[in-house]
Amino acid sequence: MTTEETGSGLLHRYIDQCSNWGRWGEDDQLGALNLVGPDQVRHAASLVKAGRTIPLSLPYDRNGPQPGGFRNNPQLFVTATGSDHVSGAQDPLPGGFGPAKGFGFSDDVLVMPTQSGTQWDSLSHIFWEGRMWNGRSAGQVTSDGAHANGIENYTGRIVMRGVLVDLPVLEEVPSLPPGWAIKPGDVEDFLRAHDLTVHPGDALLVRTGFMAARRGAWGDYAGGPAPGLSLHMAPWLREHDIAAVVTDTWGVEVRPNEIDHFQPLHIVSLVHGGIAFGEMFDLDALAADCAEDGVYEFMFVASPLPLTGASGAPVSGVAIK
Amino acid sequence: MTTEETGSGLLHRYIDQCSNWGRWGEDDQLGALNLVGPDQVRHAASLVKAGRTIPLSLPYDRNGPQPGGFRNNPQLFVTATGSDHVSGAQDPLPGGFGPAKGFGFSDDVLVMPTQSGTQWDSLSHIFWEGRMWNGRSAGQVTSDGAHANGIENYTGRIVMRGVLVDLPVLEEVPSLPPGWAIKPGDVEDFLRAHDLTVHPGDALLVRTGFMAARRGAWGDYAGGPAPGLSLHMAPWLREHDIAAVVTDTWGVEVRPNEIDHFQPLHIVSLVHGGIAFGEMFDLDALAADCAEDGVYEFMFVASPLPLTGASGAPVSGVAIK
Amino acid sequence: MTTEETGSGLLHRYIDQCSNWGRWGEDDQLGALNLVGPDQVRHAASLVKAGRTIPLSLPYDRNGPQPGGFRNNPQLFVTATGSDHVSGAQDPLPGGFGPAKGFGFSDDVLVMPTQSGTQWDSLSHIFWEGRMWNGRSAGQVTSDGAHANGIENYTGRIVMRGVLVDLPVLEEVPSLPPGWAIKPGDVEDFLRAHDLTVHPGDALLVRTGFMAARRGAWGDYAGGPAPGLSLHMAPWLREHDIAAVVTDTWGVEVRPNEIDHFQPLHIVSLVHGGIAFGEMFDLDALAADCAEDGVYEFMFVASPLPLTGASGAPVSGVAIK
Amino acid sequence: MTTEETGSGLLHRYIDQCSNWGRWGEDDQLGALNLVGPDQVRHAASLVKAGRTIPLSLPYDRNGPQPGGFRNNPQLFVTATGSDHVSGAQDPLPGGFGPAKGFGFSDDVLVMPTQSGTQWDSLSHIFWEGRMWNGRSAGQVTSDGAHANGIENYTGRIVMRGVLVDLPVLEEVPSLPPGWAIKPGDVEDFLRAHDLTVHPGDALLVRTGFMAARRGAWGDYAGGPAPGLSLHMAPWLREHDIAAVVTDTWGVEVRPNEIDHFQPLHIVSLVHGGIAFGEMFDLDALAADCAEDGVYEFMFVASPLPLTGASGAPVSGVAIK
């Protein structure tokens, strides 16, 4: 590898090597999720054997990982309470609904940055030199939201085989430390050890243990140094036609980055590869379950909320075994 | 039926007849979703034959059904745009991430009433005479949210067989009109006509056509008169141990209500029966799909966002066939 | 007036004629409020004779004038209630403050578009061909807010003589109708009739009666056709060195506009003249007071909230007589 | 002072001694601001001699004093930007306003806890044993807001003489330390040293220097230990018929509290005395101005936003000299 290849040169070579722009037509806004078709959905369902469901999303509340500032944690504003009901304040009912006659209700409003907890990045979340997925202009993302590549394109679509790569198990540590770059060899070692093969259209769920290490005492978990995928995973993801990659960290890729570009794996694999990036998924219960039965593949259902034009969306992901 | 039985008397009789309080223990916060176990999950997965996924949620945006006031439509506030990127305003990157070097991003914040679009009611959403599901005090729901029975109890759990009851097909109308009360006989007619049996733990998805009739010109769709389930469905739901009931209307049950109590089916079947209520689901694409292949059963995956202590949550529901 | 002068030609002539760019230095972000100095403040205070204070702001709540959509009405989310206190839910106090011992509190969160009610436009609110007040690039207003000309520049500064021009009194109508363009002659007639002279640095409060006509049944009050200042007021405002102009309408100027440009008076008098525009002020109580004592001048104090980088800000304006 | 008098006994004695319940009628919702009448307003205006205005409010933005959690700092969500305008995304204009023809605009939405920065407490903010100002039930403050005693009662009314008591000058320290309880003697020493007398209806602005000490590195400034008024100020405030008391700290009174009750001065002087409490006012520029000219009295105008039913409101306070 030449010197040039350690920075911009490498980035550009990987972009050329991994780009899927145009692969599914000029109008495509779905990216690598095109790799999931009827066969993949059927295969995913066939993995349901025990009848267990395992949730994969962090609670959305004030105790989340955000340090505040640009992104706060989710807030729930309660606009009608049981306290109101028991103290008689809901009789008569609001809205002209008449006397309460024993009836009461609660109601609330959610305020949350779409990227504040467990979430999918949309293909409009990241830009590279004025462009986003499939060559569209970044200028299509305005104060109104994304006029193309928004997260709503993913809705109803993330139903496929999931494979958990549980690296702390492989490395025999509770958590990979910040700065640890996960390389293709690491992933392959894990797959081999568990007799797994990946298929086109799979979701690769990579657990670093970093969420477990920081849970409840988050510190700079969201936005700071973190273990994660090496930039050198980009060609491997492209060759194996992985449709979605998911981690238990804030940004999928290792931080600090390996080259002098911010989030280069996003540039290569999300902007150009069109791969779905899932961040801050809670993979700990799933890891415990897989360790127990030795089965690291499952039906993965994680359709994001259809937030029109959003850069990402919260999601209630489920692994079904 | 005596006179008394047309009002409070009937309500109290149905409460007695349909209550599941204590059935799954004093500490239960899950309700009728307890009826979904490994067998039900496996059976649901076995229904996946074609490999098709059909989304069931309305877009969450300013064009939603809410008239404003107590509940507004979802809003997305864009906190970083492609316009900023292309006009040079993201260089250097915020957050101390250094020179952009071609990188850009979008970001956004979601503000939405949890009950403003497609959504599950939680078991803390409705009270009856100071109590909620399983006899807990309504006073446990404060300005902080629900300290019990919150929507997070449903997360990771709504994975079961779904059965679509498409009443406009049965009635040969585009949409049931406001005020139309769906009776057990209607549901049974539909099931018989399509050679379907319901099982304990099923989700019953009842399409009225009312969303199709109002889509985009919502008027008083959310909060006004609507077709929906009759109060007399309560014993039927209980006898058949339906775990979840879903409609394409704002409140599941018929409006105006049949007796002089507000939302009596909520009082009987949600507060006392513990049945999961799903509202404003978009069942139109599913109905078209079922009409095409004649198959009205499917794997139903609709795990709500884990909003700690919320009265309900948006959800990205999917039918998988 | 030539044909050209009825459209773009006129607009450009007025821009040339009325521009104050550079008048207070290249770095100025205050605009015509520079005209208010110690003499003007002292003179304003000297107008306080009766010791009466008259509020000039609409309530900020869900009953405001906004129809919803791009701008909703203000919302108050109550995060702690008296209901919680009386039902015992505030004991112990949150935040580790220990046993309540009789103490309770309420708390709330305000969500409001800055332009949804009574408000000052900032000098960063309107752009013309890529520029804003004093020739600065519109590109300085990003998703982060305004890096120049934000509303915080006005904070602490709007203290001056105010003069009420109550046009319905002059015209002997309850309200000027939508589309009525207020011309310099109208203003001068009113001033003459009340023996008033305007001075440099004055705030001109122009009442149309349109708020009174629509109060509580707002319809398209905010955003629709409205009476207001004619574009031909621009030279008059500039010649008299008016510092601030305030109306009881949503946009100061007449709607529909008189030429085929959107809000041309904003372009001339705000962007180029740097005059402070105050919108949706409630001038009805003030008008009643002035009609009673015949005094149409007063101390006007209306410092906006210092919302860093905002396009405008709500304000609690007061006339003191 | 007996032992009993150091805790609840003292609290109850002070309540009896300082209560103004009923003083201005059973229906009063204004409290001690009733002490400000025409004479007080006129006298305030007579203090304007130099024609200088000094702003007294902190910027409302993400750099404010809140640590996050229960109360976040103010956020501004920008819904239309200059970036959009310069990149062509505002042509045509939204809202059906037609071709831009050079016109552009910005817009934004404010989200802020009413108590997050410079703010007035309303008389509905604090409860004592189920009651608030003037004996009203705390139950009148529900999820809908305060049905009585809300902050809107103060709007248009806070115009009076202000007197700055700058204690760091007296004590010859840059800032009083956390836990320092300001006693009547301290205030009187300052007043005497500056030849000042307080009058009924005055606003007393007490500077501790604590904001200056923490500005920009807030730490636990909002919610933690702080200098502030002693509980023993209560009788003094009542005897002198002070209408409003303002500090540069989060809670007016000293923290930790001097007796085993949370915020006892709020209980005595706000709940029972009806005195307006102003918190987190920025008194530093005012202090510098007063040190320069030796004049510690001024016209104080600080009308809060009319947020219907709110527990408090942000305010753009101004001292005019």
Side-chain angles (χ1 to χ4, degrees), chain A residues 11-33:
Chain A
L11 184 65
H12 283 98
R13 184 160 66 80
Y14 278 172
I15 289 173
D16 290 346
Q17 189 177 341
C18 301
S19 176
N20 282 315
W21 287 10
R23 180 172 172 187
W24 298 288
E26 277 185 14
D27 293 337
D28 182 68
Q29 301 184 34
L30 187 56
L33 291 179

Side-chain angles (χ1 to χ4, degrees), chain D residues 59-115:
Chain D
Y60 296 104
D61 61 30
R62 290 207 312 251
N63 301 314
Q66 296 300 323
F70 182 62
R71 291 177 187 153
N72 286 321
N73 282 307
Q75 290 176 281
L76 189 75
F77 295 122
V78 185
T79 54
T81 65
S83 304
D84 291 345
H85 168 67
V86 299
S87 68
Q90 289 189 348
D91 192 3
L93 294 168
F97 287 125
K101 301 180 74 168
F103 184 93
F105 72 105
S106 66
D107 226 282
D108 28 42
V109 172
L110 172 68
V111 177
M112 65 175 288
T114 60
Q115 309 263 344

Side-chain angles (χ1 to χ4, degrees), chain C residues 222-224 250 255 257 260-263, chain D residues 92-100 105:
Chain C
W250 71 273
R255 288 282 307 161
N257 301 119
D260 191 21
H261 277 271
F262 185 66
Q263 302 296 70
Chain D
L93 294 168
F97 287 125
F105 72 105

Side-chain angles (χ1 to χ4, degrees), chain D residues 74-275:
Chain D
Q75 290 176 281
L76 189 75
F77 295 122
V78 185
T79 54
T81 65
S83 304
D84 291 345
H85 168 67
V86 299
S87 68
Q90 289 189 348
D91 192 3
L93 294 168
F97 287 125
K101 301 180 74 168
F103 184 93
F105 72 105
S106 66
D107 226 282
D108 28 42
V109 172
L110 172 68
V111 177
M112 65 175 288
T114 60
Q115 309 263 344
S116 57
T118 305
Q119 133 268 147
W120 288 109
D121 283 355
S122 76
L123 293 173
S124 65
H125 179 45
I126 305 293
F127 315 122
W128 172 246
E129 296 186 344
R131 306 213 159 263
M132 54 178 174
W133 163 248
N134 222 6
R136 293 172 184 278
S137 167
Q140 291 184 269
V141 185
T142 71
S143 303
D144 268 347
H147 297 273
N149 291 349
I151 197 67
E152 68 273 28
N153 292 287
Y154 282 2
T155 299
R157 298 301 296 259
I158 306 190
V159 177
M160 74 259 275
R161 179 187 184 229
V163 172
L164 177 69
V165 175
D166 189 4
L167 289 167
V169 165
L170 182 76
E171 305 292 344
E172 298 182 348
V173 293
S175 169
L176 304 186
W180 179 297
I182 299 161
K183 301 270 176 51
D186 303 324
V187 173
E188 292 184 343
D189 286 350
F190 184 89
L191 295 175
R192 194 177 310 114
H194 293 82
D195 205 19
L196 289 162
T197 313
V198 293
H199 308 307
D202 277 358
L204 196 73
L205 288 74
V206 181
R207 183 171 174 271
T208 68
F210 197 52
M211 181 177 283
R214 291 294 185 86
R215 193 185 301 269
W218 297 105
D220 65 356
Y221 169 85
L229 269 58
S230 167
L231 172 58
H232 304 294
M233 281 294 296
W236 190 94
L237 294 171
R238 176 67 180 78
E239 282 158 28
H240 291 81
D241 263 344
I242 296 296
V245 61
V246 166
T247 66
D248 58 348
T249 64
W250 72 273
V252 171
E253 59 189 299
V254 65
R255 289 280 308 160
N257 301 119
E258 299 155 291
I259 64 169
D260 191 22
H261 277 272
F262 185 67
Q263 303 294 71
L265 187 68
H266 279 72
I267 296 170
V268 176
S269 298
L270 188 156
V271 176
H272 293 90
I275 294 176

